[in-house]
């Protein structure tokens, strides 16, 4: 009987030590993650997260596609004045979170619907998003990532937002409304 009690006491002791080691390891990982969120430049060169689309100063490439209304659209969309562009992927949690804010921002964008180009990527569920975007944007749907408009904008993550100057030159880009709104304030 004494041997069983001794074995149980040793087993509980080993479990306590293992629990302490795992807890300390988790605390260290949480501290590292907190540092990354507080100061991403320490972990990534360039003082920012990787771009979600072409960055300021880059030029969009030529493209040709069709809107959900059946109208052709190509790189000449960017010839007249500044345009707001957005790319959303169906099923993307961040896209769902930022979608209502984008709708408000696009509705107030100078030039209205004719100066806002929205891209929805996905085979299923894209029609619903496109219908919500139609009152505030010219809408293009691409079934898969890497379609003509997505390639022209250089999208790598979603949501991707940008202000495109005449000639297809990106003025600002990012994943948040603030990333592009600040470029409009500098005009």
């Amino acid at each position: 009987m004494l041997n069983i009690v001794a074995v149980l006491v040793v087993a509980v002791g080993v479990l306590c030590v293992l629990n302490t080691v795992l807890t300390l390891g988790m605390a260290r990982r949480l501290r590292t993650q907190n540092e990354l969120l507080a100061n991403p430049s320490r972990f990534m060169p360039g003082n920012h997260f990787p771009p979600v689309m072409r960055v300021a100063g880059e030029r969009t490439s030529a493209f040709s596609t069709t809107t959900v209304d059946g109208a052709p659209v190509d790189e000449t969309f960017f010839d007249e004045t500044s345009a707001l562009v957005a790319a959303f992927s169906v099923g993307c949690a961040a896209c769902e979170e930022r979608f209502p804010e984008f709708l408000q921002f696009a509705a107030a964008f100078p030039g209205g619907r004719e100066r806002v180009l929205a891209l929805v990527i996905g085979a299923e569920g894209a029609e619903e998003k496109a219908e919500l975007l139609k009152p505030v944007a010219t809408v293009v749907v691409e079934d898969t990532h890497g379609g003509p408009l997505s390639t022209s904008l250089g999208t790598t993550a979603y949501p991707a937002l940008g202000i495109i100057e005449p000639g297809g030159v990106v003025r600002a880009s990012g994943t948040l409304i603030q990333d592009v709104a600040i470029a409009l304030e500098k005009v």
Side-chain angles (χ1 to χ4, degrees):
M1 181 74 171
L2 191 57
N3 287 341
I4 294 174
V5 171
V7 168
L8 288 176
V9 167
V10 169
V12 168
V14 168
L15 284 175
C16 288
V17 169
L18 181 62
N19 185 37
T20 302
V21 168
L22 292 174
T23 301
L24 291 174
M26 183 64 73
R28 182 180 311 142
R29 293 193 88 182
L30 287 172
R31 188 176 322 118
T32 302
Q33 182 180 10
N34 190 36
E35 289 175 14
L36 172 62
L37 292 173
N39 187 11
S41 63
R42 179 171 174 235
F43 297 90
M44 300 186 78
N47 298 333
H48 55 68
F49 289 103
V52 294
M53 65 176 285
R54 297 192 191 283
V55 296
E58 290 184 336
R59 187 176 303 275
T60 58
S61 61
F63 69 95
S64 180
T65 190
T66 306
T67 69
V68 293
D69 296 328
V73 64
D74 58 21
E75 66 276 1
T76 61
F77 186 89
F78 304 125
D79 282 351
E80 295 176 24
T81 62
S82 296
L84 171 64
V85 296
F88 296 98
S89 181
V90 175
C92 159
C95 296
E96 292 297 324
E97 179 183 315
R98 297 186 187 122
F99 193 76
E101 185 181 13
F102 173 77
L103 289 174
Q104 289 179 333
F105 187 72
F109 191 77
R113 180 181 188 274
E114 290 74 30
R115 301 309 315 143
V116 179
L117 182 60
L119 169 63
V120 180
I121 299 174
E124 295 180 23
E127 301 83 27
E128 296 169 18
K129 288 276 182 253
E131 284 302 315
L132 294 171
L133 286 163
K134 279 173 70 172
V136 297
T138 301
V139 184
V140 172
V141 173
E142 294 178 351
D143 290 340
T144 60
H145 303 279
L149 182 55
S150 177
T151 300
S152 175
L153 298 174
T155 56
T156 58
Y158 303 92
L161 308 170
I163 302 291
I164 311 292
E165 291 295 315
V169 177
V170 177
R171 182 193 303 171
S173 65
T175 190
L176 302 171
I177 293 292
Q178 297 88 320
D179 295 332
V180 294
I182 195 163
L184 295 175
E185 294 171 5
K186 293 179 181 178
V187 175

